[in-house]
Amino acid sequence: MMEFNEFTDRITGLVQQKMGEGYTVTATKVLKNNDITRTGIVIMEKKDSMSPTIYLEEPYQQYQDGADVEEIVEEITVLYEQHSHNIKLDMDFFGDFSQVEDRIFHKVINYEKNRELLKSMPYFRWHDLAVVFLLCDAGKSVWQGIHSDLQQPSGYVGKDSGGNIPYSPAEYETEDAGTFSAHTEAVG
C-alpha cells in the first residue's frame, strides 16, 4: 500500500503519460480556508494559462479502499475533460483592472484560523475577522481568492488595506455590526 506522497507522485506520472506531451501535469499544495492544506494535481494543456486543480485526498481514500490506480487515473482524466473547458480565460484580462473591478467581492473569514492563508492575499482586519477579496468569473459561480500576485499598483489600493480596495477600510471599521452585515449581504 502506497503512502499519500508516493500515491501523489505515481498518479501525477501516470496522468502525465496518459495526457501526453501536449500537457504538463504537476502536483501542488493548495492552502484553503481555515488553513487547511489540500494536495492536488493540475493538468495544463501547454497553450492554456489556467486549469482546474483536482484534489487527491478522495482518490487516495478510494485507493485505500481497494480501487485500482489505473481506474483512478481514468476518473481524474475524465474529470479534467469535463471541467477544463469551463475555465478558459485569457490572463491578459487581469492586466486591465477596469475589466475586473466590478467582479471583485469580499468575504469575511476567521483571522486566527487563516493566518497562513492571509500571508498570500490582501485583507484587512475587522475585529477578530479578516476581510478578503474574491473574483467572480464572468457571472459564473466560480470564485477565486485574489492573491498578492494579482494586486494592483498602489493608487487604487486602500492605504492600510494591504490589497485591492477602492475605498478606505476605515469605512468598515465600526462597532456597528449591522452596517457591516448590510455590505456583506449585498455580495452574497
Side-chain angles (χ1 to χ4, degrees):
M1 178 83 49
M2 289 183 275
E3 295 294 323
F4 184 70
N5 288 338
E6 184 182 357
F7 174 82
T8 299
D9 292 343
R10 178 90 188 273
I11 293 295
T12 302
L14 290 171
V15 171
Q16 180 66 69
Q17 285 178 356
K18 185 170 178 66
M19 298 305 292
E21 291 182 17
Y23 292 83
T24 302
V25 180
T26 55
T28 186
K29 300 253 183 218
V30 179
L31 190 59
K32 305 295 278 181
N33 195 29
N34 293 330
D35 281 348
I36 294 171
T37 300
R38 304 237 7 227
T39 300
I41 60 171
V42 176
I43 304 168
M44 178 100 55
E45 194 168 0
K46 292 195 175 174
K47 66 179 178 62
D48 289 339
S49 56
M50 292 182 78
S51 187
T53 299
I54 300 171
Y55 295 110
L56 296 178
E57 288 82 4
E58 290 81 9
Y60 182 65
Q61 184 62 51
Q62 291 173 341
Y63 165 74
Q64 288 181 314
D65 292 342
D68 182 63
V69 171
E70 295 297 328
E71 291 173 15
I72 292 171
V73 168
E74 182 64 28
E75 286 179 25
I76 288 171
T77 56
V78 166
L79 188 63
Y80 167 77
E81 294 295 334
Q82 289 173 341
H83 295 282
S84 63
H85 67 279
N86 293 336
I87 60 168
K88 301 292 184 203
L89 181 63
D90 180 5
M91 291 302 286
D92 292 336
F93 174 78
F94 293 100
D96 181 0
F97 189 66
S98 67
Q99 296 292 312
V100 295
E101 68 182 319
D102 290 340
R103 297 179 183 180
I104 296 175
F105 298 90
H106 59 271
K107 169 177 147 177
V108 180
I109 62 175
N110 183 289
Y111 177 79
E112 289 300 325
K113 291 183 178 180
N114 289 285
R115 283 183 169 267
E116 200 60 35
L117 178 65
L118 292 170
K119 289 178 181 177
S120 67
M121 57 188 357
Y123 71 93
F124 66 87
R125 291 278 309 260
W126 187 71
H127 300 284
D128 63 337
L129 304 171
V131 179
V132 297
F133 300 88
L134 304 167
L135 181 66
C136 179
D137 181 24
K140 300 175 187 173
S141 60
V142 176
W143 293 83
Q144 175 62 47
I146 296 176
H147 291 268
S148 297
D149 56 348
L150 292 178
Q151 291 183 42
Q152 290 299 304
S154 58
Y156 193 80
V157 177
K159 194 170 194 174
D160 297 318
S161 68
N164 297 329
I165 309 171
Y167 45 79
S168 167
E171 290 179 41
Y172 291 118
E173 291 176 358
T174 174
E175 295 297 319
D176 182 0
T179 301
F180 189 82
S181 295
H183 290 290
T184 58
E185 289 169 7
V187 298

